């Protein structure tokens, strides 16, 4: 590795970006909003703004939501990355990037439960992913799913469909 290398972990909710030198020393770091392409075209402006803020780089690795899952989105992400960073750029799914970071290239399983949820595995039979279909279809175990289930429990206790377990009072008290 030579020069300045940019790494972007662009999730649906937040993005972490870092530039390091050949020794691994952090030269620049920034946290911004997510780069969710299904939320609108703002992700393109946000990525271009990050590229400008990071300055010139010789290589870039971007983990982006939905990459490799939806053809039109994957194509646009790849095109924009090439436009912003040139040929020294690799774009991958954000969960694949987390998998590789967590397991340092080894086979194994990563269960990721953030705003969404997905399991990513690699082994002798290849790479497989489960979940990550969004809040309309599942995302069981995700922060969104847990929050929605908690609010549903509160509403059932408040209107008497569930017995008062104290959960609704505790939750509302915590929320102020």
């Amino acid at each position: 590795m030579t020069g300045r290398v940019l790494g972007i972990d662009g999730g649906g909710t937040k993005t972490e970006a870092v530039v390091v030198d050949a020794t691994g020393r952090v030269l620049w770091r920034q946290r911004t909003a997510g780069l969710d392409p299904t939320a609108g075209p703002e992700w393109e402006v946000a990525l271009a703004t990050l590229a400008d803020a990071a300055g010139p780089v010789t290589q870039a690795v971007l983990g982006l939501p939905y990459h490799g899952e939806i053809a039109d989105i994957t194509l646009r992400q790849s095109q924009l990355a090439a436009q912003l960073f040139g040929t020294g750029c690799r774009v991958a799914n954000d969960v694949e990037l987390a998998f590789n970071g967590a397991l340092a290239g080894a086979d194994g399983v990563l269960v990721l439960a953030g705003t969404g949820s997905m399991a990513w595995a690699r082994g002798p039979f290849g790479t497989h992913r489960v979940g990550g279909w969004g809040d309309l279809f599942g995302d069981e175990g995700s922060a969104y799913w847990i929050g929605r289930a908690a609010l549903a429990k509160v509403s059932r206790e408040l209107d008497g469909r569930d017995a008062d377990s104290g959960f609704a009072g505790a939750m509302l008290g915590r929320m102020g």
Side-chain angles (χ1 to χ4, degrees), residues 82-148:
Q83 178 185 335
L84 294 171
F85 305 108
T87 58
C89 181
R90 180 178 186 279
V91 183
N93 185 282
D94 59 329
V95 179
E96 177 186 3
L97 199 72
F99 174 90
N100 288 327
L103 294 157
D107 289 349
V109 177
L110 173 75
V111 177
L112 186 66
T115 304
S117 66
M118 183 187 298
W120 191 285
R122 184 177 58 223
F125 298 109
T127 299
H128 302 278
R129 86 162 250 180
V130 176
W133 298 108
D135 59 287
L136 293 178
F137 299 106
D139 267 351
E140 298 83 30
S142 70
Y144 177 88
W145 182 85
I146 291 167
R148 190 201 150 289

Side-chain angles (χ1 to χ4, degrees), residues 19-154:
V19 173
V20 298
D21 66 13
T23 67
R25 182 172 56 103
V26 174
L27 304 173
W28 174 84
R29 172 175 274 148
Q30 186 168 343
R31 176 183 251 188
T32 64
L35 297 173
D36 182 352
T38 66
E42 297 81 20
W43 74 271
E44 295 184 26
V45 172
L47 184 57
T49 301
L50 272 176
D52 286 343
V57 297
T58 54
Q59 295 176 322
V61 177
L62 286 65
L64 299 176
Y66 299 101
H67 189 80
E69 298 174 22
I70 301 172
D72 290 345
I73 289 174
T74 299
L75 177 62
R76 183 60 193 137
Q77 289 170 328
S78 297
Q79 290 172 336
L80 184 57
Q83 178 185 335
L84 294 171
F85 305 108
T87 58
C89 181
R90 180 178 186 279
V91 183
N93 185 282
D94 59 329
V95 179
E96 177 186 3
L97 199 72
F99 174 90
N100 288 327
L103 294 157
D107 289 349
V109 177
L110 173 75
V111 177
L112 186 66
T115 304
S117 66
M118 183 187 298
W120 191 285
R122 184 177 58 223
F125 298 109
T127 299
H128 302 278
R129 86 162 250 180
V130 176
W133 298 108
D135 59 287
L136 293 178
F137 299 106
D139 267 351
E140 298 83 30
S142 70
Y144 177 88
W145 182 85
I146 291 167
R148 190 201 150 289
L151 292 173
K153 173 74 173 154
V154 167

